[in-house]
Structure formats: structure tokens, C-alpha cells
């Protein structure tokens, strides 16, 4: 009996073709998979030949350590207040403690016991209805540690506390809480415009305008421009509300330190929950055999969906600064990911950079100042002042998706990444921009609505015809698929050179159809101005001028945040 295959030579030939196709395809697939790896290795070697560091070296030099600084004192104070509360009898006079955790002078703690279980509402009596701050604490209790935020500085505050039973019976007590004057180094905040009914102040007027410091004191203003919160510990650049309602700040490990190398999780009362310390001891440019202490985290930190933190950092090299990101595990501090932008952009960007210079001789060729992350599409946005670029990266692979920036000095091989003006529109390309953020998306994430602060200074590239004439808060619609962009809103051009800011600045949607713009370096750094404007009418509903502050302590960002964040 003949084999079925032997009797069908055409079938044997077909099978051989299929097998060869599979084998050949497999080889091609393996080669195509290997090529990017070779490219990455080649790019890494190129970076290291130019004075960059390997990923292993970066991890070794930057690895943070978990610190107990502030945590033990927080726990000790909390224990003391709990014991004091336990010693009180129901119905007895309350115990009032101002600045209970020693770094938040406009906060207080009221310890009191009630005979019946009650819900508590606090009211810090303001100078007007719009500046009276109210907050209700969830739940019914008989033992109360009542946190109070939003006190005025330098006066005796009237704080009304209403105790409500489950049956609805209300009892109100008024407590007088005296505070000291705010530090003179905060400067002078002069109210120019205020229309509270059109401002975004949040429930109970708990939202303040926070002037986030470059290197000094961060504080919050109410609708009348009065200081209602500040921290006594120095803060640099990073001041964020986390998903759990806590604050993330960049501060010093000790008050005597010259550098900011402590990333601290705290709150508006000053309680410390966790701290990551960085040594920052890196080789110097002048003599790589010698070391000096540097600030590691320099401009921004964002909380990732899993709770980890993505930081903009110096990578520890003797040659480059402010061009690297690391992701650290929020529980251990261990570095889980490194993105070196020298491995993303073209070689000439960092080898032929001469637009700015530093006193230490290191190259600040990118100057990364902000990030935004879209988890749904695994998209990381990166803003680099000194390249006048906003980059779109695939966060998983680190690969470049697009570049929002003018086309000056862009090699031919990278032209394909450039975002172009939408057909029939004129687009002012960003120059030295800050505070990139995603405020909307459509078409399955292909179309992004972005906001950012356009300093409008052509560092390496930008709009040469308008550079240094004004700065703007702006929003744009960017089509990732078509690689096109158009401006949908902007404000600041009418203010001209007076509000041009060569460095720093921010622009954030805050609600009520409004955007809060921080002209942080107006008048060459002598003035910071905070302006809340309606995007439909361009009506200014809040405007504060800040002057007479310490040198270098201009306001890096202006943010509208709640003293009592919900989570």
C-alpha cells in the first residue's frame, strides 16, 4: 500500500514551503527582535563614551535610604496627645494646641470629650464669607482630636466647633487660637483682584492658592490674598497631594544642609509618615576624583498608579545634570527603573549644547522640569526647558513617540517624530516651557488636550519672532496619530514683557472653567504673580503680586490645593 504523502507530491511541496516560511519567519522575527536590543546597546555605549553612566552605576550612585527623621517625633507627639485626651473627662474644657507637629504654625489640635457621640464641624472665622474655612469630620465619636487648618497669621483666631449628635442636636463652642506673625522672608503679597464668587475655592473654601517655593518657604493664600498656611521647613520645587491625601515635599535632611535631598511624605499638620534620603555625593567636573554634595531630585516627582514615585534627578555623573528619571518603590525606596534621556534623543543634543552654562561646568543640556503620565496608554510626557521640547515616550520601553518643539537643529533621522501645526493653523512653538499636564483625551487616546506654561524663551529652539516678549499659560490639542497640534486657549500675551518669565512658571486648570497661572519670575525674578483667569471670557478673577522675598525664593509654581483633600 502506497503512502498517502508519496501519492501526493504537491502536498509534500506545500508542507516544505510552509515549514521554510515558518523557519524563515522565525529567524526574521528573532532578528527583528534582536535589532532594537543591539541599537539600545550601541546607544548606551555611545552615551558612556561621552561621559554618561551605565544604568547599574546610576542606581548605585542614587540609591535612596529610608529615614526615620521626623517619624519618631511624630509618633511621640501623637502618643502624648492621645494620653492627654484620655485624661480628660467628658464635658470638661477642651485642650487647644497650636502648631501641634511643630512645622505648621497655622494649624491647631483641639482635644475634647463629649458625653454623647457627635460629629464635628470646624469653622475658622474669616474676614469674609469667602474666607471662612469650614470642614466636617466624618463619623460620630465621644473622644475627639480635632484638627484645625487655615488659621490667620499674627492674630487671635475665632474657631467655631459645632458638635452634632446622631439625633441632630447641635452644640457650638468657640475657641480663641492665637498665632505668631508669618516670617518676613515669605515676602509681601498684594491683592490686585478678587472675585470670590467666580473663583474655584472648593467646598467650605478649603482650597488655597499655594505659592510653591524654588528654595524657601511654601505657603497658601485665601481669596483675599491672606496667608492661611505655611511650613517652617524649607521646601524646594516639589509640593504634591498624593492619592491618600498626604503631601509629598522635597526638603532638607537637616536644617543646616545646603542641599535638598530628603523626599518626605507628610501632611498639612506636619506629621511625617515616610522619608527617602539621597546622599548626592557625586564626582566634580573639574576633578572627577573629587566629590561634592549635589541635590539629586531637582524639579518634579509624580506618583505612579501603583504608588511608586517617578523622580527627575541628576544621574551622578561628573558631566551631565537634570536629564534622567528614576522610578523608586514607594515601600522600600529601591530603584526599579532608569530613563536616561541621552539614550532617547539624538547625540548632538547633549554633545554640542552651548545655550546655557553652569558655575560647576556640568552640562544642563535638557533641564527636565515636569512630567505627566497616562496609565491607560502607557504614555509619559517629559518637559525639557533647555531643549524647548515636550517629549512623548512609551513608558514601558522608554522609546520616543513624538517631539513637540520647533524644528531648529533637529537631525533628519528625528524629523519623523516632530509634531507639526494642524492644517490651516499657526502654532507658537513652546520655548523653555514648564508644568506639562494632560487635561483631556479623545479618539481612544490618539488626541490629547495638554496644558503647560510657555515661558516663550527660545533656549535651543522656539518661536524666534516672539521670544522673550511675553509668557503664557496655554492649552493645545495634540493628535498623536497624525502628529499635528493646534492651540485651543492661551493667556498672558497682553501682559507683555512685564510678565515675561525667563525661568519657572505654571498653568493649571482649577475648576469653574478657570486656570491658575504662576508668573513666577516676573521682572527678572523680583516679582511672582498668581493669576486666576476664566478660559471662556479671559476675565481675571484673582490676582496677587508677590514681592520683597528672599533672593532665589521666587515661586516655582502656583497651585490651587485643598487643606482637606478627599481620597
Amino acid at each position: 500500500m502506497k503512502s498517502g504523502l508519496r501519492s501526493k507530491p504537491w502536498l509534500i511541496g506545500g508542507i516544505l514551503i510552509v515549514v521554510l516560511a515558518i523557519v524563515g519567519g522565525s529567524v526574521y522575527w528573532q532578528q527583528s527582535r534582536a535589532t532594537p536590543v543591539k541599537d539600545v546597546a550601541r546607544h548606551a555605549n555611545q552615551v558612556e563614551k561621552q561621559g554618561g553612566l551605565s544604568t547599574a552605576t546610576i542606581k548605585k550612585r542614587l540609591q535612596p535610604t529610608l529615614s526615620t527623621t521626623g517619624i519618631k517625633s511624630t509618633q511621640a507627639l501623637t502618643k502624648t496627645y492621645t494620653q492627654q485626651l484620655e485624661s480628660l473627662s467628658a464635658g470638661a474644657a477642651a485642650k487647644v494646641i497650636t502648631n501641634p507637629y511643630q512645622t505648621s504654625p497655622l494649624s491647631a489640635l483641639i482635644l475634647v470629650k463629649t458625653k454623647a457621640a457627635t460629629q464635628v464641624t470646624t469653622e475658622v472665622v474669616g474676614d469674609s464669607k469667602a474666607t471662612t474655612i469650614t470642614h466636617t469630620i466624618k463619623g460620630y465619636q465621644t473622644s475627639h482630636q480635632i484638627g484645625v487648618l487655615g488659621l490667620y497669621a499674627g492674630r487671635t483666631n475665632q474657631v467655631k466647633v459645632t458638635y452634632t449628635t446622631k439625633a441632630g442636636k447641635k452644640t457650638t463652642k468657640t475657641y480663641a487660637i492665637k498665632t505668631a506673625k508669618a516670617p518676613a522672608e515669605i515676602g509681601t503679597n498684594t491683592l490686585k483682584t478678587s472675585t470670590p464668587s467666580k473663583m474655584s475655592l472648593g467646598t467650605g473654601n478649603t482650597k488655597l492658592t499655594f505659592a510653591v517655593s524654588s528654595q524657601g518657604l511654601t505657603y497658601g493664600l485665601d481669596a483675599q490674598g491672606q496667608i492661611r498656611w505655611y511650613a517652617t521647613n524649607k521646601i524646594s520645587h516639589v509640593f504634591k497631594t498624593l492619592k491618600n491625601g498626604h503631601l509629598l515635599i522635597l526638603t532638607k535632611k537637616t536644617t543646616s544642609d545646603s542641599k535638598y535631598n530628603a523626599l518626605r511624605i507628610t501632611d498639612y499638620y506636619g506629621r511625617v509618615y515616610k522619608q527617602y534620603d539621597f546622599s548626592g555625593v557625586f564626582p566634580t567636573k573639574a576633578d572627577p576624583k573629587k566629590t561634592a554634595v549635589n541635590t539629586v531630585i531637582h524639579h518634579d516627582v509624580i506618583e505612579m498608579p501603583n504608588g511608586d514615585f517617578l523622580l527627575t534627578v541628576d544621574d551622578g555623573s561628573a558631566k551631565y545634570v537634570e536629564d534622567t528619571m528614576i522610578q523608586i518603590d514607594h515601600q522600600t525606596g529601591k530603584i526599579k527603573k532608569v530613563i536616561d534621556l541621552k539614550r532617547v534623543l539624538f547625540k548632538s543634543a547633549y554633545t554640542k549644547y552651548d545655550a546655557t552654562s553652569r558655575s560647576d561646568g556640568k552640562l544642563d543640556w535638557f533641564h527636565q522640569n515636569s512630567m505627566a503620565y497616562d496609565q491607560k496608554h502607557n504614555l509619559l510626557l517629559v518637559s525639557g526647558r533647555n531643549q524647548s521640547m515636550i517629549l512623548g515616550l512609551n513608558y514601558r520601553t522608554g522609546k520616543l513617540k513624538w517631539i513637540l518643539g520647533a524644528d531648529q537643529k533637529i537631525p533628519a533621522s528625528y524629523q519623523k517624530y516632530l509634531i507639526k501645526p494642524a492644517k490651516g493653523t499657526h502654532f507658537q512653538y513652546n520655548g523653555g516651557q514648564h508644568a506639562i499636564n494632560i487635561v483631556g483625551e479623545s479618539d481612544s487616546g490618539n488626541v490629547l488636550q495638554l496644558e503647560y506654561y510657555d515661558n516663550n524663551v527660545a533656549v535651543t529652539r522656539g518661536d524666534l519672532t516672539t521670544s522673550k516678549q511675553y509668557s503664557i499659560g496655554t492649552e493645545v490639542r495634540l493628535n498623536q496619530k497624525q502628529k499635528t497640534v493646534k492651540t485651543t486657549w492661551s493667556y498672558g500675551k497682553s501682559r507683555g514683557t512685564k510678565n515675561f518669565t525667563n525661568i519657572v512658571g505654571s498653568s493649571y486648570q482649577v475648576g469653574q472653567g478657570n486656570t491658575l497661572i504662576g508668573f513666577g519670575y516676573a521682572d527678572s525674578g523680583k516679582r511672582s504673580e498668581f493669576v486666576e483667569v476664566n478660559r471662556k471670557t479671559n476675565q481675571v478673577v484673582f490676582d496677587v503680586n508677590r514681592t520683597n522675598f528672599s533672593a532665589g525664593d521666587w515661586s516655582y509654581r502656583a497651585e490651587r490645593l485643598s487643606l482637606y483633600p478627599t481620597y
Side-chain angles (χ1 to χ4, degrees):
M1 185 174 180
K2 293 182 178 180
S3 167
L5 288 178
R6 287 180 180 177
S7 64
K8 299 177 181 179
W10 58 268
L11 182 58
I12 297 174
I15 293 172
L16 285 173
I17 291 172
V18 171
V19 170
L20 287 172
I22 293 172
V23 172
S26 176
V27 170
Y28 173 78
W29 180 81
Q30 291 173 8
Q31 289 174 341
S32 66
R33 294 272 293 184
T35 300
V37 175
K38 290 180 180 178
D39 287 345
V40 168
R42 190 182 304 114
H43 209 164
N45 290 334
Q46 173 184 288
V47 168
E48 290 170 38
K49 284 180 180 179
Q50 297 298 325
L53 302 178
S54 68
T55 297
T57 301
I58 291 172
K59 286 184 176 181
K60 184 177 180 180
R61 289 191 180 176
L62 299 190
Q63 183 58 56
T65 56
L66 290 176
S67 170
T68 59
T69 300
I71 298 174
K72 289 184 178 180
S73 61
T74 291
Q75 293 171 341
L77 287 167
T78 298
K79 183 177 180 180
T80 295
Y81 300 143
T82 300
Q83 291 173 343
Q84 290 177 348
L85 175 60
E86 289 174 351
S87 68
L88 295 176
S89 56
K95 183 176 180 60
V96 180
I97 302 139
T98 306
N99 193 12
Y101 289 92
Q102 303 174 351
T103 62
S104 180
L106 303 185
S107 68
L109 185 63
I110 300 173
L111 307 177
V112 66
K113 282 185 178 179
T114 53
K115 293 180 180 179
T118 58
Q119 185 178 67
V120 169
T121 297
T122 61
E123 179 183 304
V124 180
V125 179
D127 294 337
S128 65
K129 183 178 179 180
T131 56
T132 294
I133 296 175
T134 61
H135 174 63
T136 297
I137 301 170
K138 294 180 181 180
Y140 293 82
Q141 301 177 41
T142 55
S143 294
H144 305 274
Q145 292 192 39
I146 304 169
V148 178
L149 295 167
L151 300 173
Y152 285 94
R155 68 167 77 173
T156 299
N157 293 263
Q158 300 300 309
V159 179
K160 295 180 180 179
V161 179
T162 300
Y163 302 91
T164 305
T165 65
K166 292 180 180 179
K169 182 180 178 182
K170 297 179 183 291
T171 303
T172 299
K173 301 281 187 180
T174 299
Y175 304 94
I177 304 178
K178 189 175 182 179
T179 58
K181 291 183 178 180
E185 60 187 295
I186 281 178
T188 304
N189 291 277
T190 304
L191 184 68
K192 295 172 63 178
T193 302
S194 179
T195 311
S197 62
K198 296 184 179 181
M199 292 176 63
S200 177
L201 300 174
T203 303
N205 303 318
T206 62
K207 289 186 177 182
L208 303 181
T209 299
F210 285 88
V212 180
S213 175
S214 288
Q215 292 187 29
L217 299 182
T218 289
Y219 61 93
L221 301 174
D222 66 14
Q224 293 298 324
Q226 294 294 310
I227 297 170
R228 305 296 290 273
W229 184 90
Y230 69 92
T232 54
N233 52 297
K234 296 291 182 73
I235 295 171
S236 175
H237 294 94
V238 178
F239 188 84
K240 299 284 185 78
T241 301
L242 301 178
K243 292 194 293 279
N244 64 2
H246 293 161
L247 288 175
L248 186 69
I249 66 171
L250 180 61
T251 187
K252 297 180 178 182
K253 288 186 282 189
T254 66
T255 55
S256 61
D257 282 355
S258 61
K259 304 297 182 182
Y260 292 82
N261 277 323
L263 185 63
R264 179 179 297 170
I265 299 176
T266 180
D267 62 19
Y268 286 106
Y269 298 97
R271 292 176 288 200
V272 180
Y273 301 96
K274 186 168 285 188
Q275 182 164 306
Y276 312 88
D277 284 352
F278 294 79
S279 70
V281 178
F282 302 153
T284 64
K285 171 70 174 177
D287 185 354
K289 293 181 180 179
K290 294 183 179 180
T291 59
V293 178
N294 299 259
T295 291
V296 177
I297 305 167
H298 50 81
H299 278 84
D300 202 12
V301 178
I302 57 175
E303 184 181 18
M304 302 301 282
N306 66 352
D308 286 353
F309 298 114
L310 186 63
L311 327 174
T312 60
V313 296
D314 281 4
D315 65 5
S317 77
K319 190 172 182 178
Y320 301 103
V321 294
E322 303 191 6
D323 62 2
T324 303
M325 292 165 281
I326 58 171
Q327 179 181 342
I328 64 170
D329 186 289
H330 66 287
Q331 294 179 323
T332 66
K334 184 178 179 181
I335 297 174
K336 297 168 69 173
K337 188 180 186 72
V338 175
I339 299 177
D340 182 349
L341 291 169
K342 293 186 292 298
R343 301 171 189 238
V344 174
L345 286 175
F346 41 92
K347 181 180 175 181
S348 60
Y350 58 89
T351 59
K352 296 182 179 180
Y353 178 78
D354 60 2
T356 62
S357 60
R358 289 167 52 103
S359 59
D360 62 5
K362 294 187 179 184
L363 284 177
D364 186 12
W365 68 276
F366 193 77
H367 195 93
Q368 185 180 351
N369 56 37
S370 62
M371 302 173 290
Y373 179 62
D374 178 2
Q375 178 187 14
K376 186 177 179 181
H377 303 100
N378 205 29
L379 175 69
L380 177 67
L381 303 189
V382 179
S383 168
R385 175 194 184 269
N386 288 352
Q387 291 293 323
S388 294
M389 284 181 174
I390 297 170
L391 308 180
L393 305 179
N394 180 310
Y395 186 67
R396 183 180 64 82
T397 65
K399 287 186 176 181
L400 183 64
K401 296 185 69 174
W402 48 259
I403 298 172
L404 180 60
D407 63 2
Q408 298 110 329
K409 301 180 183 179
I410 304 288
S413 60
Y414 275 74
Q415 291 283 328
K416 62 185 178 182
Y417 295 109
L418 287 173
I419 301 293
K420 302 289 187 180
K423 187 176 181 180
T425 66
H426 168 74
F427 181 73
Q428 176 178 310
Y429 277 106
N430 38 291
Q433 74 292 318
H434 286 74
I436 182 66
N437 195 30
I438 303 171
V439 291
E441 64 174 51
S442 58
D443 189 23
S444 301
N446 284 322
V447 178
L448 301 175
Q449 188 74 14
L450 307 179
E451 64 179 3
Y452 57 88
Y453 182 78
D454 186 1
N455 296 73
N456 192 25
V457 51
V459 187
T460 302
R461 56 188 56 82
D463 192 325
L464 301 178
T465 61
T466 65
S467 180
K468 299 186 180 181
Q469 294 181 22
Y470 54 83
S471 297
I472 58 175
T474 191
E475 294 190 6
V476 304
R477 182 175 292 116
L478 188 149
N479 190 311
Q480 298 187 91
K481 192 173 182 179
Q482 298 176 1
K483 287 191 167 58
T484 60
V485 65
K486 65 179 295 185
T487 301
T488 56
W489 176 82
S490 70
Y491 178 85
K493 184 176 180 179
S494 61
R495 294 190 172 229
T497 56
K498 190 177 180 181
N499 275 43
F500 164 70
T501 53
N502 185 56
I503 60 173
V504 309
S506 59
S507 181
Y508 296 114
Q509 288 190 7
V510 292
Q512 294 279 86
N514 298 345
T515 289
L516 179 66
I517 304 175
F519 297 96
Y521 196 77
D523 292 339
S524 299
K526 297 181 181 66
R527 181 170 61 88
S528 293
E529 187 167 4
F530 320 124
V531 179
E532 183 179 354
V533 58
N534 184 272
R535 292 188 299 280
K536 285 187 178 180
T537 64
N538 273 359
Q539 177 189 1
V540 173
V541 299
F542 180 71
D543 192 341
V544 169
N545 243 347
R546 180 190 181 211
T547 55
N548 303 320
F549 47 84
S550 302
D553 188 25
W554 48 79
S555 298
Y556 174 60
R557 288 175 176 167
E559 300 201 50
R560 185 65 53 76
L561 302 173
S562 176
L563 290 170
Y564 298 98
T566 56
Y567 53 94

